[in-house]
């Protein structure tokens, strides 16, 4: 049945993964529209249990993941290249850096640049337990320490750990771009079976929820800016228009692909964000902001060892649940998508370059970004007329950025630029997400019909629009709680990632030279393998269904592995001599395989 529907719509994907994922998402949307309060209550109970019982698990786990990445990145395995041993990076450093933010936390930086320092300044996270008085200089220092903790090394660890694993298994072992591929050392060719498909379906659904929450929150911020500039009302159709515009542009970008769409938008946005940052620095208290940025970097580094294990045990204020644990659980929910996307743009880099780049560069930019904006907030409160923090607390965090820009010259222009930045950051999040979701369903990169690729951006936009307008805060709250609950299994996945990645590197790497590794043949899902066989695709000369490596690529001193026994589909549709395919790339039509039927 699913195959017939699949062929009717001219798709090229895994029918089970695609339709089951879409069906589960549709069921959630329908139930939320029918009973938003009930859904919010149900999922809220689950997220509440996580808050009350597993906060320590998130805090300690992320620190363990960070330590693991540093050890792997700067140990002997750091020299392994994510791709062929002589492969070069596909994208320039600047384009790579821009796309990291496009899929990562570019949207979050815009949303919280002013709001988080202002909130922690007015309500110090550890105020009563440490004697820090609200709105004092000590409160300002602690506010910046917590803000940078939330958006620095630990947040990027959430993306870097799965990203490194995906890059290794996809480009070193040539496995499908799916979450199930991470389990290949344990599951073998069962990554194509029910267990593997269940993992991928769960990952797709959880990613959709996490990104849809971000789109919903971003829509609120864009609307707040438009309301300030043009007096746009709170009517539902205004929210629908905002989401529709973002979705249309994201769909076009996704159809164009990484190089023509996402890369160009990402480069444009990162340069525009830097220009806005320079404008704020130049027209504001420049020296004050520069001094503050350096000081906040020191505050962050000094507080980091304590915060990395701080669980609010003694005071037990509950503050950590609403901020730190919420951030970690929500961000983890869309870590599979960001991880695969970062892997996709990082091919050809060494593990050391990957770890240093994904952890170091964004964290450095985050320190500069929040250092300048946060110092500007404190300057207004301590040396100016004040009132900005009160405005943020009264009007909501979505208005914070625009209230801040109102204190600077050319406020209408900079606010318009900020609205555009928020919009484009959400566009690049949606289009990169759609590409990754499509690859996860297909089990390979490329060759997907354009309407199939566009489906995911439309789905994300539709979910955000329906839940934001038809159910109001109830639907968005329910979706947020779902994302938090789905984030827990993904967080547990981190421990499997560490084990499987370590095991794979030990299996593949030798001890001499530049760590020559086995060259793994490309692994395709069975249904895609059959399609390419019928098309006489020459790429099958280097493809298998059961994960396997090429003959003659066994490095010295590496443990022996047996070649995988290929499933029946290979015996039926592929002509092989021993372990070497006889499909001639120069004459791929001559396969000797009779047509079906």
């Amino acid at each position: 049945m699913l195959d017939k529907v699949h062929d009717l719509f001219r798709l090229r994907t895994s029918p089970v993964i695609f339709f089951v994922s879409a069906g589960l998402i549709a069921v959630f949307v329908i139930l939320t529209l029918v009973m938003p309060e009930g859904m919010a209550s149900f999922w809220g109970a689950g997220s509440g249990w996580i808050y009350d019982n597993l906060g320590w698990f998130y805090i300690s786990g992320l620190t363990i993941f960070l330590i693991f990445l540093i050890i792997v990145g700067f140990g002997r395995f750091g020299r392994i290249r994510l791709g062929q041993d002589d492969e070069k990076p596909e994208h320039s450093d600047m384009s790579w850096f821009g796309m990291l933010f496009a899929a990562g936390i570019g949207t979050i930086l815009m949303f919280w640049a002013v709001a988080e320092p202002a909130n922690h300044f007015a309500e110090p996270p550890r105020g009563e337990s440490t004697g820090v008085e609200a709105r004092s200089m000590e409160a300002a220092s602690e506010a910046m320490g917590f803000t940078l903790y939330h958006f620095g090394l630990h947040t990027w660890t959430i993306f870097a750990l799965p990203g490194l694993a995906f890059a290794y298994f996809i480009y070193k072992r040539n496995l499908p771009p799916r979450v199930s591929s991470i389990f290949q050392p344990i599951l073998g060719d069962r990554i194509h079976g029910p267990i593997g498909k269940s993992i991928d379906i769960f990952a797709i659904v959880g990613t959709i929820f996490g990104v849809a929450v971000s789109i919903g929150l971003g829509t609120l911020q864009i609307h707040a800016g438009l309301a300030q500039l043009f007096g746009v009302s709170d009517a539902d159709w205004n929210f629908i228009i905002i989401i529709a515009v973002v979705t249309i542009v994201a769909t076009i970008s996704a159809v164009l692909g990484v190089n023509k769409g996402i890369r160009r938008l990402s480069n444009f946005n990162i340069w525009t964000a830097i220009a806005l940052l320079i404008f704020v620095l130049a027209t504001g208290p420049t020296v004050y902001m520069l001094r503050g940025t350096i000081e906040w970097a020191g505050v962050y580094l000094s507080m980091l060892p304590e915060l990395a294990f701080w669980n609010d045990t003694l005071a037990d204020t509950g503050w950590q649940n609403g901020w730190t644990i919420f951030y970690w659980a929500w961000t983890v929910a869309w870590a599979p998508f960001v991880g695969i996307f970062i892997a996709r743009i990082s091919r050809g880099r060494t593990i050391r370059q990957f770890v240093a780049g994904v952890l170091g560069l964004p964290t450095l930019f985050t320190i500069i970004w929040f250092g300048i904006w946060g110092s500007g907030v404190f300057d207004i409160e301590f040396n100016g007329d004040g009132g900005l923090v009160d405005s943020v607390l009264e009007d909501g965090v979505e208005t914070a950025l625009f209230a801040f820009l109102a204190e600077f010259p050319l406020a209408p222009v900079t606010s318009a630029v900020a609205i555009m930045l928020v919009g484009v950051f959400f566009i690049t999040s949606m289009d990169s997400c759609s590409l990754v979701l499509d690859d996860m369903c297909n089990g390979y990169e490329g060759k997907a019909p354009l309407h199939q690729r566009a489906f995911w951006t439309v789905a994300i936009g539709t979910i955000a629009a329906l839940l934001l307008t038809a159910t109001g805060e109830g639907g968005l709250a329910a979706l947020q709680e779902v994302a938090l609950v789905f984030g827990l299994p993904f967080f547990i996945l981190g421990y499997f990632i560490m084990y499987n990645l370590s095991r794979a590197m030990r299996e593949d790497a030798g001890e001499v030279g530049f760590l020559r590794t086995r060259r793994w043949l490309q692994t395709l899902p069975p249904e895609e393998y059959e399609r390419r066989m019928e098309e006489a695709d020459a790429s099958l000369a280097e493809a298998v269904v059961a994960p396997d490596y090429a003959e003659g690529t066994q490095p010295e001193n590496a443990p022996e592995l047996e070649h995988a026994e290929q499933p029946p589909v290979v015996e039926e549709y592929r002509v092989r001599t021993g372990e070497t395919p006889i499909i001639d790339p120069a004459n791929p039509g001559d396969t000797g395989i009779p047509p079906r039927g």
Side-chain angles (χ1 to χ4, degrees):
M1 178 63 183
L2 292 181
D3 290 334
K4 292 181 179 179
V5 177
H6 172 277
D7 296 340
L8 177 64
F9 287 99
R10 298 182 179 180
L11 303 177
R12 184 169 184 147
T13 185
S14 168
V16 172
I17 295 177
F18 183 89
F19 288 114
V20 172
S21 300
L24 290 175
I25 294 167
V27 169
F28 169 82
V29 172
I30 293 172
L31 290 176
T32 303
L33 292 175
V34 173
M35 47 181 184
E37 294 182 0
M39 288 289 285
S41 176
F42 174 78
W43 292 105
S47 63
W49 184 86
I50 292 174
Y51 283 144
D52 294 338
N53 298 282
L54 293 179
W56 61 271
F57 183 64
Y58 280 91
I59 298 297
S60 60
L62 271 186
T63 300
I64 292 171
F65 299 162
L66 175 59
I67 294 172
F68 172 82
L69 285 171
I70 294 173
I71 292 174
V72 170
F74 297 95
R76 71 183 188 89
F77 288 131
R79 292 175 288 160
I80 295 177
R81 194 166 294 277
L82 300 171
Q84 300 303 317
D85 291 331
D86 58 349
E87 197 166 352
K88 300 300 180 183
E90 185 177 1
H91 302 285
S92 68
D93 291 341
M94 193 63 203
S95 293
W96 184 55
F97 176 64
M99 287 189 285
L100 285 178
F101 272 92
I105 64 172
T107 53
I108 301 175
L109 291 186
M110 295 297 298
F111 195 88
W112 294 108
V114 174
E116 177 138 356
N119 270 275
H120 299 338
F121 176 67
E123 300 173 358
R126 301 182 297 178
E128 295 183 4
S129 61
T130 58
V132 176
E133 184 180 350
R135 302 177 188 251
S136 65
M137 293 182 182
E138 292 82 1
S141 180
E142 183 150 303
M144 291 307 302
F146 271 93
T147 297
L148 294 176
Y149 169 56
H150 286 157
F151 298 105
L153 290 171
H154 280 72
T155 284
W156 283 97
T157 294
I158 295 175
F159 302 139
L161 182 63
L164 177 60
F166 287 132
Y168 191 91
F169 286 104
I170 294 172
Y171 297 123
K172 175 59 70 174
R173 288 205 166 184
N174 272 322
L175 298 177
R178 289 174 170 170
V179 176
S180 58
S181 293
I182 293 176
F183 291 86
Q184 183 264 335
I186 298 175
L187 296 178
D189 60 349
R190 287 180 294 169
I191 59 174
H192 298 314
I195 297 177
K197 284 182 169 60
S198 298
I199 293 172
D200 294 322
I201 290 170
F202 188 89
I204 291 169
V205 174
T207 298
I208 287 283
F209 292 154
V211 175
V213 170
S214 298
I215 299 303
L217 295 176
T219 301
L220 295 177
Q221 188 180 29
I222 294 174
H223 175 267
L226 293 175
Q228 179 175 312
L229 286 178
F230 307 110
V232 175
S233 69
D234 292 337
D236 287 346
W237 62 271
N238 285 323
F239 293 102
I240 294 176
I241 290 175
I242 293 171
I243 294 177
V245 171
V246 170
T247 302
I248 291 171
V249 179
T251 301
I252 295 172
S253 177
V255 169
L256 290 175
V258 173
N259 290 323
K260 294 182 179 179
I262 297 173
R263 181 174 60 84
R264 291 178 180 176
L265 280 176
S266 300
N267 288 342
F268 167 79
N269 226 37
I270 195 66
W271 284 114
T272 305
I274 292 174
L276 179 62
L277 189 69
I278 293 173
F279 175 84
V280 170
L281 178 63
T283 59
T286 306
V287 175
Y288 185 88
M289 289 178 170
L290 292 175
R291 290 170 59 191
T293 300
I294 299 300
E295 184 170 338
W296 310 141
V299 169
Y300 169 53
L301 293 176
S302 65
M303 293 178 64
L304 183 60
E306 179 184 0
L307 294 182
F309 296 98
W310 180 65
N311 277 290
D312 195 20
T313 305
L314 299 178
D316 196 20
T317 62
W319 176 90
Q320 199 174 39
N321 289 346
W323 287 93
T324 308
I325 307 305
F326 167 74
Y327 277 148
W328 295 168
W330 174 29
T331 306
V332 165
W334 44 309
F337 131 63
V338 179
I340 291 182
F341 182 77
I342 291 177
R344 183 169 182 171
I345 63 175
S346 301
R347 181 170 187 167
R349 298 184 183 274
T350 65
I351 290 178
R352 183 165 299 143
Q353 291 171 337
F354 181 97
V355 172
V358 178
L359 289 181
L361 290 177
T363 298
L364 177 61
F365 185 83
T366 297
I367 291 173
I368 296 172
W369 180 267
F370 279 104
I372 292 175
W373 292 89
S375 298
V377 171
F378 304 140
D379 178 70
I380 293 171
E381 294 300 315
F382 289 134
N383 305 319
D385 297 331
L388 174 62
V389 172
D390 291 329
S391 173
V392 173
L393 296 178
E394 293 172 5
D395 299 333
V397 294
E398 65 269 13
T399 66
L401 178 66
F402 306 105
F404 177 88
L405 292 174
E407 302 286 336
F408 288 76
L410 302 176
V413 176
T414 55
S415 294
V417 171
I419 293 171
M420 179 194 67
L421 277 171
V422 174
V424 176
F425 270 128
F426 277 103
I427 287 168
T428 51
S429 291
M430 286 183 69
D431 58 14
S432 55
C433 181
S434 71
L435 287 178
V436 169
L437 291 173
D438 195 47
D439 289 347
M440 289 171 66
C441 280
N442 305 343
Y444 59 92
E445 294 179 3
K447 290 198 175 188
L450 298 184
H451 66 282
Q452 176 181 303
R453 184 179 296 175
F455 167 80
W456 296 107
T457 54
V458 175
I460 295 171
T462 301
I463 292 170
L466 283 174
L467 297 179
L468 192 61
T469 58
T471 64
E473 295 183 1
L476 192 59
L479 190 59
Q480 183 172 296
E481 305 296 349
V482 173
L484 295 179
V485 174
F486 269 69
L488 178 58
F490 292 150
F491 195 84
I492 297 172
L493 176 65
Y495 291 93
F496 285 94
I497 289 176
M498 291 191 295
Y499 170 77
N500 289 326
L501 183 59
S502 298
R503 175 174 167 178
M505 290 188 297
R506 288 197 305 268
E507 286 178 350
D508 291 347
E511 299 286 344
V512 295
F514 54 89
L515 286 181
R516 181 189 178 208
T517 58
R518 294 185 181 90
R519 185 172 65 82
W520 288 70
L521 300 171
Q522 182 184 17
T523 303
L524 293 172
E527 59 272 11
E528 179 61 21
Y529 190 97
E530 293 183 27
R531 294 186 194 114
R532 295 193 187 187
M533 264 322 243
E534 294 173 356
E535 295 170 357
D537 191 328
S539 67
L540 291 185
E542 291 287 319
V544 290
V545 174
D548 201 0
Y549 63 93
E551 286 283 4
T553 64
Q554 178 86 346
E556 289 185 41
N557 301 325
E560 291 289 339
L561 292 181
E562 294 183 1
H563 283 285
E565 181 180 350
Q566 300 301 318
V569 62
V570 177
E571 303 301 326
E572 296 172 4
Y573 290 93
R574 186 181 187 192
V575 179
R576 295 171 62 93
T577 302
E579 292 296 330
T580 304
I582 65 170
I583 298 176
D584 182 4
N587 186 22
D590 184 17
T591 63
I593 299 173
R596 299 178 87 181

